[in-house]
Each structure stands twice: as structure tokens, then as C-alpha cells.
Amino acid sequence: MNSSHRVRYSARSHVGLKRKLNEDAILALPEESLWLVADGMGGHEGGDFASRLVVDMVAAIPPGLPPADRLVTLRDVLQQAHAAIVREAEARGGKTIGTTVACMMLANGHFVGLWAGDSRIYLLRDNQIQILTTDHSVVAELVLAGQMSWDEAEQHPQSNAIIRAVGVGDVLELDKIRGEVQPGDRFLICSDGLSKYATFPMLQKALSEMPIETVADQLIQIALDGGGADNISVIVVDIP
């Protein structure tokens, strides 16, 4: 748990119970009011390479940029990471390598979220949870069509089939959401290693009840108790 500029956060990543390698990567830059989760795909070395590259490139963004410039630079860096991963995949014989990304910035009383894939950003406000992102996945289209809930989608046979990722496809499309922050807001950024095991009521309960010092560990434990078959990454950010 750490704090900077009065915004407190907790960040954890766990390999889970079934995998030998953690292909997730997380980044916390509280001085820049920026947090990021990347969930790599491509098997041994591939997914790890992709998620780590995204984190390393974002971490290298010059500090102290004005918020608007920081957002533009963040977008540019993610596009550069996309191109670099595509080149690496080609060098490895055309193997699919990629990573989801979900990142959040805070500035001037507002938040901005950027994402590609099925890593998520949630907001707990007044003890009510809402999902701010929309998964770029096969099952998400079923949810948006009203055929099932997000919790039901996690149990679908194609729940892991994503249709957007950094490093996959010719063009990286990033979705964006922005809004005002309110005192007491709590944000959760996570990989699907948590969301596939934690229903909305489970997340709402943990985020409502647990202090910042232990909430990330508690969320990871929920995923482990549920089976922990994937890597699990969690960042919780509190607005004072």
C-alpha cells in the first residue's frame, strides 16, 4: 500500500494456482496519477514479453507532463508498443503475441480510462459498483445484446476469446472513458484472472468493506479460492 498526493492505492499481482509463469504485469505511477494492468497472451515468453514491454514503455514516459500531453503521450506509447509486439511476433515466425491493457489517469478532478481487451476498470461509488469498461471479447457482444449478464459471460465457453489486444491485428483501437471523480470513490483495475471468479456482488462487498491496506490481497484471495487458474492482477485506487 502506498500514498502520494493524498491518493492511496494498493497493487498486487499473483501467478495463480495453475500456471508457472505470470504473464500479467502491473504499473503504479502515483506521482503521475497513472495506474495500468496488462494481461499477456502467447504462452511462455510471449505473453510475458508483451505485458512487460507495455509496462516498461509507459513507465518511461517523461514525468511531469501536463495532463493533456500525458494522455496523448500515453496513447502514442501504446501504439508504439503495439508495433513493437507485432514485429516481435513476426520475428518469432508469426506466432500470436499480445496483451490486454487497462490504464487509468487522474487529473484536475477527473479520471480517464483507456483499454483494449478484457482487463477491466470498475468504480465503487456510494458502496455501489459499476463497470466502466466494456470487454473487447466475443461474449461481451452477447452481453451488450442483452442475452446474458457480465457474471454469466464469465462462465461462457468462449469467455477467454478477446477480439482486441495490444500487438494483435494491424491497428490498435483503444477505447476511452472519462468522468468526474468524487470524494470517497474507489477504482479497481484488474485482469480477468480476478473478474472470472469475482461476481459483481463479491467485488462490491470486498471493495466496500476492506481497507486499502488489505483490499488487494483480499481480492486476490477471492480469485484463488475460486480456482485461481489464471494470473491475477489487482490495483485499487482511493480518492480521499
Side-chain angles (χ1 to χ4, degrees):
M1 190 279 296
N2 293 276
S3 63
S4 180
H5 300 273
R6 298 187 305 120
V7 173
R8 306 174 76 209
Y9 75 93
S10 185
R12 300 283 188 276
S13 188
H14 194 289
V15 69
L17 300 176
K18 303 292 179 66
R19 302 196 175 185
K20 296 181 180 180
L21 179 71
N22 192 347
E23 294 182 82
D24 286 3
I26 61 175
L27 178 66
L29 295 175
E31 296 81 6
E32 302 301 309
S33 298
L34 192 156
W35 295 266
L36 181 151
V37 167
D39 179 356
M41 58 191 210
H44 182 64
E45 294 183 352
D48 179 54
F49 166 83
S51 62
R52 178 51 52 189
L53 180 72
V54 165
V55 162
D56 288 348
M57 291 183 69
V58 172
I61 292 175
L65 294 174
D69 293 345
R70 190 186 338 145
L71 180 59
V72 170
T73 303
L74 175 61
R75 278 185 173 276
D76 289 345
V77 164
L78 292 174
Q79 293 291 347
Q80 293 166 22
H82 175 79
I85 295 168
V86 168
R87 290 193 299 270
E88 180 67 19
E90 292 172 349
R92 297 188 186 192
K95 180 181 180 182
T96 298
I97 300 173
T99 180
T100 71
V101 65
C103 49
M104 186 184 75
M105 283 177 38
L106 297 173
N108 303 323
H110 290 76
F111 71 87
V112 175
L114 292 177
W115 79 98
D118 61 358
S119 293
R120 294 179 175 180
I121 305 173
Y122 297 85
L123 168 62
L124 183 81
R125 176 174 287 172
D126 298 327
N127 291 324
Q128 298 297 312
I129 195 165
Q130 57 182 299
I131 183 170
L132 299 178
T133 52
T134 300
D135 295 352
H136 299 132
S137 66
V138 172
V139 295
E141 297 184 352
L142 300 175
V143 175
L144 296 176
Q147 296 179 28
M148 64 180 66
S149 70
W150 285 115
D151 287 341
E152 289 169 339
E154 294 297 346
Q155 310 306 317
H156 192 278
Q158 288 186 286
S159 62
N160 289 330
I162 62 174
I163 56 178
R164 249 192 249 182
V166 185
V168 177
D170 295 332
V171 179
L172 171 63
E173 293 184 60
L174 294 165
D175 277 357
K176 181 177 81 169
I177 187 168
R178 62 178 301 156
E180 294 185 4
V181 297
Q182 296 183 9
D185 281 351
R186 171 170 275 191
F187 292 90
L188 165 65
I189 313 166
C190 67
S191 63
D192 71 336
L194 173 65
S195 59
K196 70 176 57 173
Y197 295 110
T199 63
F200 276 61
M202 293 165 71
L203 290 175
Q204 182 168 294
K205 178 177 172 61
L207 290 169
S208 297
E209 296 179 356
M210 303 301 297
I212 193 64
E213 292 84 358
T214 59
V215 64
D217 288 332
Q218 177 64 26
L219 291 169
I220 285 177
Q221 192 60 51
I222 288 172
L224 294 174
D225 291 344
D230 200 355
N231 308 141
I232 313 152
S233 292
V234 172
I235 300 176
V236 180
V237 180
D238 280 357
I239 306 300

